[in-house]
Structure formats: structure tokens, C-alpha cells
Amino acid sequence: MVKPLSFKGDKKTKKRKRAIDGEKDPAGADEKAVSVPGVSVEDEDDTWVSAEAAADVAGPVVFALPSEIPTCIACDSFGKVFTSRLENIVDKDLATAEPHDVRQVWVANRVAGTENISFKGHHGRYLGCDKSGKLSANREAISPEESFVCIPSPDVPGTFWIQTLREGFLSISETGSLPDIKGDASDTSFNTTFRIRMQARFKPRLKASKAEKAREKISRKELEEVVGRRLEDDEVRKLKKARREVFRSAQPLQNSIRRYATETPKKSSNGILYAGAAAAAGFGVYYYLSNQGTAGAGAAAAAAKQVGEAKATFTGGDQGFVSLRLDQVENINHNTKRFRFDLPEKDQVSGLQIASALLAKYKGPGDEKAVLRPYTPVSDEDARGYLDFIIKRYPNGPMSEHMHAMKPDQRLEFKGPLPKYPWSENKHEHVAMITGGTGITPMWQVIRAIFKNPADKTKVTLVFGNLTEEDILLKKELQDLENTYPQRFRAFYVLDTPPDHWTQGKGHITKELLKTVLPEPKAGNIKLFVCGPPGLYKAVSGPKVSPSDQGELTGILKDLGYEKEQVYKF
């Protein structure tokens, strides 16, 4: 007997039944009326509607398939996935489809820390797709095989392409009375275009006024990055006011950008997105400067002149160490801080290239030799007047302990740039990054360079290991990239000590995980970057011999068939 679908927190049961003819589906079990436990009367809306955007997909859903006979994806209690006939439908219109069998219903949930979605069947196990494209629902935990991306189809509003994390698409093939379903289609087509039906009570209610207010906000740091110099308090207030006024008058532009962002990327389409982002972030600044009369015009002209004449602080060669003043310290978690150092002049840039680092020097009282440590800034290379670092404090680490004890106005010496892996746009088709802890900083430097350049179409896969969820650095920035570029950037997180709600990787970065999510060794022009603590190097790629000697490739990547030339160790 098929059990009715139930939801955590249900207060009472309100059944909705429809009579059917008792016909059996391919799995051999009688189809039953769906019995869905209800909610309190004032909250109840158990009608079925179509998801219109990826953000809508949540709660109980039905995958309505584009087959000749209306069908959907279903599974039996043993985890076998098959296609099942839809009977609650009007004139074969998938936009009216509703389930009549609980096996046709999947519960959609976001995978923590990503925009990926998991689908749980009536039996408590998750829909998954293996490397051959076969669908099943046998696992009780979520791995990359149980994660999917819902991509709105630009051709048919209200329909989606369902993509696996191996970048195959779910697709039907009509070879018998009922279609077959697999997840190995390489291209989108009519057969990959599904309609997702969901319960209306789970569809997000957008609160426009609250969202608009959130979008209007901008920080002092962001304003200074747009203007290219430090701002006085009065200037910050005026700029924020100007941005609010212009933002409220530019809603049609924002709505266009928002619609574009939900569509599948097309050739040269990122230019539109970047133009929209620049308008939203900087238009208020332009509005303010252009309304300051002659002085405002002069400031704008001076700023424009500075863009092409930015002086580099660090020039390498025989320059020697440069003393920088600590301006701000921000606590990130229990053992990690963000440090902002002033450059010698407010209109200077760092002079770092992608990818490169700086060498920090500190000699304590009574020390015979100075302590030297390389660090990669997390601030943009074009930022004027400052450098940001994220530094984790290690027990008995002389440099990290000294920096964590520093107060604003104290100074530290730096030298560089120290060249690492030279990056240029589209140098590789796909870059995979395996990192842990503060090893994310050089990865972030490359990631930021790729996605700030509209001409760079490189795909990036990040595997990021940490002890706890609190230790995941730059998580908001990484999530923003996943939201903006779901087809080009994907992040997989692994925690040594995960919280109870954690649904991603647990323990250490494993061979099985890397085999699943990394591009295959012979997938074309690919590159793998590794950076992290010694244990990660040992397990994944083997250590470097020296800054100029990458050493031999060993560990998991060697076992998976990658060549030494395909891997770079930061």
C-alpha cells in the first residue's frame, strides 16, 4: 500500500481524494488518491500551480513531462524511477496537471549553501542520477548525484530544463506506451523541457518594498571602490541619498536585469549583466558628482584621469619592503580576521597581477631573524588606497599571532608581487579548485578575475573543505556568484564537523567526491588548482618542493588519471 505524503509540523489532516479507474502503472502497484495532510485553515492553499522561476521550486512538486500521453516522474518504494501517467489533467494541458498518486510527488529543497535543489521521494530517499544517466531514488543522504539545477527555458515560459551536476539534462524518449526518462542529454530540446507543478502555499510571496529597500543599501566600502578614493562622512551621506533617489527611479532597468538573470546565458550576454550591475552600483555616485556643478565635474574628470594613471605600490625587483599602516580590523570568526592596510597614497593600487601574492615581514623583540609569510589579498587589484587580507590565527604561528595582536595605526612591512599562476581570459575552458581554510584566498583572486571580465567564459568548480560551517570564508561572495552564474560556477563544501542540518559533504575531501564533481582528465583544456594545509596537499596532489618546483603529482588526482601538467599547487 502506498503511504500518503506527510509534512513536518502538520497540525491536522485534510484529505483531498479523486476517484480513478484502478489502472496499474509500470511499477505494478495500484494508483491511489493522494492524501496530503493539511495545514491550519488560515494558511491552507493546497491547489497546484506552475513554478515560474527557479526560486519558486520548493515543497511538493510534480515533474510534468512533454510526452504524447501526459506523464510525470515517479518512483516506487524500492527506489525505482519510472514515468507515470497523469490522470488529473484538463485537455492534456500540463499547466493544469495535478498528482493522483503520492509516488508522483517529490519534495524540493535547496541544498545548503548552493542554488542546487534536491528532490525527496515519498519513501524518504532522494532522486539521483549516476554517471551513465540512470535515475534512481535509493539514497537517504544528499551527494552531488542527488543535486540538480532548475534552468528556466527561454522558449516556453513556465517550463524548465533540469540539469545534473555532471551537466547532463533530464530527457524523455518515447519508445513504448510510456516514455523512458534519463539524465544524460547533452543538449536542450523539446524532450528536456519540463513543467514543474507545485503547491501554491509553497510559492514565494515577494515583498517588493522590503526587497527594494535592501537593494538600495550600499556600504561605505562599496562607495569608496566606485569613486576610487576615501570619502568624508558628509560625502557618504550625500552619495547614499543620491543612490536611493536614482535607484527608485530606475526600477524598469532593474526589472530587466532581474529577468535576464533568470534566463539561460547566451553568447556575449554577460556584457548586459555587467552593464546593469554597474548601473545599479554606481549610478548614484555619478548622479551625485554630476550635480555638484563645476567642482563635481572637475572631480569626475580627475577620477577619470586617475583610472589610466594609477600608480602601483608594489613593483617587484629591487624595490624592497614597503611599510603599510593598519587601518581597520574586522573579526570574521573565532580565529580569523580581515585586515585593511592603507597604501602609501590614496590613489595608488597594489600592483598585483593575477595570480600573485605579497610577502609580509615581522621581526619581534629578541628575534634573531625576521618572520616571512606570503599572503594573497582578497581586495580587488583595482582598489585604490588600501589592501584587504583575511588571516587565520594558528597556535604558535609567529606571523599570524602577531597580526591578530595588531591594533589600528600599527605598521607591517610587505614586498612583492610574488608571481604565482599567470592568468589570462579564457586560458582554460574549465578550472577546478580544491582548497581548504585560508587556501581559498588565491582561488578567490582567480575567481574574481574570471567573473569580473565579461569576455572570460571560463567555468569554475570549487571544492572547499573546512572544520565547521563558521570556518567557510567568503561564503556570501561565493553564493552570490552561484546565484549569478549557475551554469559557470559551482561550489561544493565539505565539513569535518558539520551541524545537524548540513546536507553537503562530511569528513574530508574524498576520491569519490572529486571523481564526481571534477572535469574528467580528458575533458579538454582544463586546469586544477590546489591550495590548503599540508594534509590536503598530501592527500590530493602531493606537496610542492619549493616555490619554483611543483614536485611530482601524487595522491587522489594521480589516482584519478590527471597529468602533472594539468595541476598547479599554490
Side-chain angles (χ1 to χ4, degrees):
M1 178 178 177
V2 178
K3 294 181 179 180
L5 189 65
S6 61
F7 302 98
K8 186 176 181 180
D10 288 332
K11 296 180 180 179
K12 63 178 183 177
T13 299
K14 183 179 179 69
K15 294 185 177 180
R16 177 162 55 92
K17 297 183 179 179
R18 288 180 172 84
I20 59 171
D21 59 13
E23 178 184 345
K24 293 186 177 182
D25 66 17
D30 291 335
E31 296 177 337
K32 306 292 183 181
V34 175
S35 176
V36 180
V39 294
S40 58
V41 174
E42 61 271 20
D43 295 332
E44 182 179 5
D45 187 0
D46 58 359
T47 57
W48 289 81
V49 297
S50 294
E52 298 171 354
D56 292 344
V57 181
V61 301
V62 175
F63 298 101
L65 307 177
S67 50
E68 181 67 24
I69 299 173
T71 57
C72 65
I73 302 176
C75 75
D76 62 22
S77 58
F78 299 103
K80 178 183 178 181
V81 173
F82 56 93
T83 58
S84 174
R85 187 187 299 249
L86 283 167
E87 298 201 355
N88 292 335
I89 190 168
V90 178
D91 295 332
K92 295 186 177 182
D93 181 3
L94 297 182
T96 67
E98 296 185 10
H100 64 275
D101 186 335
V102 74
R103 294 173 299 171
Q104 300 174 337
V105 180
W106 304 83
V107 178
N109 280 295
R110 298 281 162 186
V111 177
T114 75
E115 284 301 299
N116 303 330
I117 302 176
S118 66
F119 299 99
K120 182 185 284 190
H122 66 96
H123 59 330
R125 293 180 174 84
Y126 292 92
L127 179 66
C129 180
D130 65 18
K131 61 183 180 182
S132 67
K134 182 180 178 181
L135 298 178
S136 62
N138 293 317
R139 294 186 180 176
E140 296 181 352
I142 300 171
S143 73
E145 288 191 355
E146 285 73 44
S147 298
F148 299 85
V149 179
C150 296
I151 306 170
S153 166
D155 303 320
V156 185
T159 61
F160 296 84
W161 300 323
I162 313 299
Q163 189 178 39
T164 71
L165 293 195
R166 287 191 173 88
E167 301 189 357
F169 294 93
L170 301 197
S171 178
I172 62 167
S173 58
E174 302 203 53
T175 56
S177 59
L178 292 176
D180 293 327
I181 178 81
K182 291 195 72 175
D184 58 354
S186 58
D187 296 311
T188 59
S189 65
F190 175 78
N191 286 346
T192 66
T193 306
F194 301 171
R195 186 173 291 274
I196 299 179
R197 299 285 288 166
M198 60 181 293
Q199 286 194 343
R201 61 186 173 132
F202 288 91
K203 196 167 185 179
R205 268 63 169 177
L206 299 180
K207 298 181 179 179
S209 59
K210 183 176 180 181
E212 288 170 8
K213 287 181 180 178
R215 289 194 297 272
E216 289 169 9
K217 293 181 179 179
I218 188 169
S219 68
R220 184 190 194 108
K221 176 183 174 182
E222 290 171 319
L223 286 171
E224 289 176 343
E225 288 178 350
V226 173
V227 176
R229 62 178 175 85
R230 294 294 178 86
L231 297 172
E232 301 298 330
D233 292 343
D234 185 58
E235 291 179 306
V236 172
R237 285 193 294 270
K238 290 179 179 179
L239 286 171
K240 286 186 175 182
K241 181 180 179 181
R243 188 175 189 275
R244 286 194 298 270
E245 292 173 355
V246 175
F247 210 102
R248 289 168 183 172
S249 67
Q251 291 307 308
L253 171 63
Q254 292 185 37
N255 291 336
S256 297
I257 296 170
R258 192 179 304 115
R259 284 196 301 273
Y260 168 80
T262 63
E263 296 178 356
T264 305
K266 297 182 177 66
K267 185 177 181 180
S268 301
S269 59
N270 283 340
I272 302 172
L273 187 58
Y274 274 90
F283 194 54
V285 175
Y286 168 79
Y287 179 83
Y288 164 70
L289 292 175
S290 63
N291 280 278
Q292 302 305 304
T294 305
K305 183 179 179 181
Q306 289 174 0
V307 169
E309 300 177 359
K311 181 180 177 182
T313 300
F314 298 98
T315 58
D318 299 327
Q319 181 187 29
F321 283 88
V322 178
S323 176
L324 300 183
R325 185 188 75 90
L326 178 61
D327 179 49
Q328 302 173 21
V329 180
E330 175 191 350
N331 289 322
I332 294 179
N333 59 37
H334 65 287
N335 64 0
T336 307
K337 295 182 179 181
R338 182 190 291 263
F339 298 85
R340 172 165 291 191
F341 287 88
D342 286 335
L343 297 179
E345 299 176 23
K346 291 184 178 181
D347 62 345
Q348 282 185 321
V349 295
S350 66
L352 272 70
Q353 301 87 35
I354 309 298
S356 61
L358 291 173
L359 191 66
K361 181 176 78 170
Y362 164 69
K363 184 177 181 181
D367 289 346
E368 294 183 5
K369 295 183 179 180
V371 178
L372 302 174
R373 291 290 185 273
Y375 292 113
T376 304
V378 295
S379 50
D380 194 284
E381 288 68 38
D382 296 329
R384 294 173 182 265
Y386 66 89
L387 275 175
D388 285 349
F389 296 89
I390 290 179
I391 308 295
K392 181 177 180 179
R393 179 176 55 81
Y394 291 95
N396 302 316
M399 180 63 77
S400 64
E401 287 191 339
H402 168 67
M403 292 188 69
H404 273 246
M406 288 181 69
K407 305 296 182 186
D409 290 329
Q410 291 184 311
R411 306 184 76 88
L412 190 65
E413 292 186 314
F414 293 91
K415 181 180 180 178
L418 306 178
K420 298 291 184 178
Y421 188 81
W423 181 261
S424 57
E425 67 183 45
N426 301 308
K427 186 171 185 176
H428 302 288
E429 297 173 2
H430 195 159
V431 169
M433 301 176 171
I434 307 161
T435 186
T438 51
I440 187 64
T441 56
M443 307 297 191
W444 175 244
Q445 191 181 53
V446 177
I447 291 170
R448 189 180 59 243
I450 290 172
F451 290 99
K452 71 180 284 189
N453 181 0
D456 200 328
K457 308 300 182 183
T458 307
K459 291 183 178 181
V460 178
T461 297
L462 173 68
V463 181
F464 192 5
N466 285 280
L467 292 176
T468 68
E469 188 172 14
E470 183 187 28
D471 293 318
I472 302 176
L473 304 177
L474 299 168
K475 187 175 182 182
K476 180 182 181 301
E477 290 85 348
L478 296 172
Q479 287 178 330
D480 288 344
L481 283 179
E482 283 196 289
N483 294 339
T484 307
Y485 306 100
Q487 295 306 296
R488 290 179 52 210
F489 180 75
R490 288 174 179 166
F492 301 91
Y493 302 96
V494 180
L495 297 183
D496 188 63
T497 309
D500 292 339
H501 67 270
W502 188 254
T503 58
Q504 292 212 50
K506 301 177 182 179
H508 300 290
I509 294 174
T510 64
K511 181 178 179 179
E512 290 70 25
L513 172 62
L514 296 183
K515 183 178 181 180
T516 301
V517 303
L518 298 186
E520 295 185 356
K522 297 181 180 179
N525 180 13
I526 65 169
K527 194 72 176 183
L528 276 61
F529 293 144
V530 183
C531 188
L536 183 140
Y537 280 114
K538 181 178 180 181
V540 172
S541 63
K544 291 190 298 183
V545 175
S546 69
S548 60
D549 186 350
Q550 287 279 299
E552 293 302 315
L553 179 64
T554 60
I556 294 174
L557 297 183
K558 177 70 173 179
D559 294 342
L560 292 177
Y562 295 96
E563 301 293 334
K564 178 180 177 180
E565 293 73 21
Q566 293 178 301
V567 180
Y568 182 84
K569 308 168 191 176
F570 278 95

